[in-house]
Amino acid sequence: MAQTDRQYTAPARLFHWVIAGLILYQIPLAYYMIGLPLSPDKLGSYALHKSIGITIFAVSAARLAWRWLRPPPPLPANLGPATRRVGAFTHGLLYCLTFAMPLVGWLSSSAANFPVSPFGWFTLPNLVAPDGELHERLELAHRLLAYMLFGTLSLHAGAALYHHFILRDGVLRAMLPFTGNRS
Amino acid sequence: MRVLPIGLSFLGALAMSAQAQAELWTPVAADSTLSFSAEQQGAAFEGLFNKFTATFDLDPADPTTARIEATIDMDSVDTLYDERDEALREPEWFDVERFPEGRFVSEQIQKAESGYLADAFLTLRDATQPIALQFTLETLPDGRLRFEGQSVVSRLAFGVGNGQWENTDWVGDAVTIRVSLILEQSLP
Ligand code: HEM
């Protein structure tokens, strides 16, 4: 029983891995697309990048709502307060970035008069009036946020592996899919 | 009485000018826009041509007799994003170096359900195609005219977006042209 209490709920694990998968697809796609010469392929890749980004935003919102309804399981008792604080900070930052990156991308597209249409389903309103200078600053912000994301993701994945292989405390297993009743 | 024939011919002249009389009207640049709406990546975006000229040989009482001609400075395209404007000036799109001007010439105008319908020829690049421009005309209290027109054209019919850009997955074929003008009478 104690083991299942340490487990994230199934929806929480699903949210986590869907977002992880989308981000791990999104980043190489971003570098692929910016390297393409201007072509229908480039426009298509940008469109996909924007659609996936907006999806990440939406799934993150659902994920936060679920987290509020079903708080995460407690951490192992032997973790010190400093470790907990670093963990909470990293997680907070990751949440912020999964919202900030798409939001800045959307703002940047708006400033370039490129309305965003997720998967062609509907068109999002432009958030700001077209403005070339603002667009360049937002593009830079999007890039800096990406670097922050790389740093934070590395820390996050490194910590998960550290918990699993060094501390062997089940923290990673709590988030893995298909780990229902195993110890 | 010698006054009578003079008076009569004066009345005659008045009557003639009250009849269908084409006058020359031109857009007031500050209050007139030529814009378009096109589709990229599944979403519509707006653009403008900042420079264009037009002449309307027009009797406001009967617009079906009008003749409309316009010239568009293709280099003045403005989609509010410099990189896209630069791309549009390239040979794959407007090719402004070889084809600096677009032309619009009305052929025939008829009354439509609401407003009028002008059959016209539009020339972009080296392609001339028939298009239909729907418009309304309204006389303003200050005597000027408000002309609002719209036409949906196929960019591919003009070779705008050729080669790889004949692909319409990410840049749609249909482009809506919108003309919103304030016309004032000018001396012929
Ligand atoms: C979590 C979501 C997102 C992630 C992780 C992400 C990541 C990235 C990365 C790594 C780059 C390359 C950075 C660079 O320019 O050096 C990039 C570029 C870009 N992203 Fe995103 N992005 C996300 C969401 C979005 C959204 C929602 C939009 C637009 C609606 C967007 C629009 C763009 C654009 C237009 C570029 C190209 C900038 C350029 O041409 O320099 N991104 N993104």
Side-chain angles (χ1 to χ4, degrees), chain A residues 1 26 30 33 35 64 96 106 131 138 151-152 154 162 173 182:
Chain A
M1 212 50 222
Q26 180 80 330
M33 74 183 189
L64 261 195
C96 287
W106 180 6
D131 177 342
L138 287 164
T152 320
S154 312
Y162 179 69
R173 205 175 291 121
R182 285 194 284 147

Side-chain angles (χ1 to χ4, degrees), chain B residues 120-135:
Chain B
F121 285 103
L122 178 65
T123 305
L124 297 175
R125 300 177 58 104
D126 51 357
T128 299
Q129 295 285 336
I131 67 164
L133 179 83
Q134 208 147 12
F135 69 89

Side-chain angles (χ1 to χ4, degrees), chain B residues 21-23 25 58-65 116 137 139 143 145 185:
Chain B
Q21 277 287 317
E23 303 154 345
W25 296 75
L58 172 76
D59 169 18
D62 184 12
T64 60
T65 61
Y116 302 88
L137 195 70
T139 305
L145 306 174
Q185 204 172 347

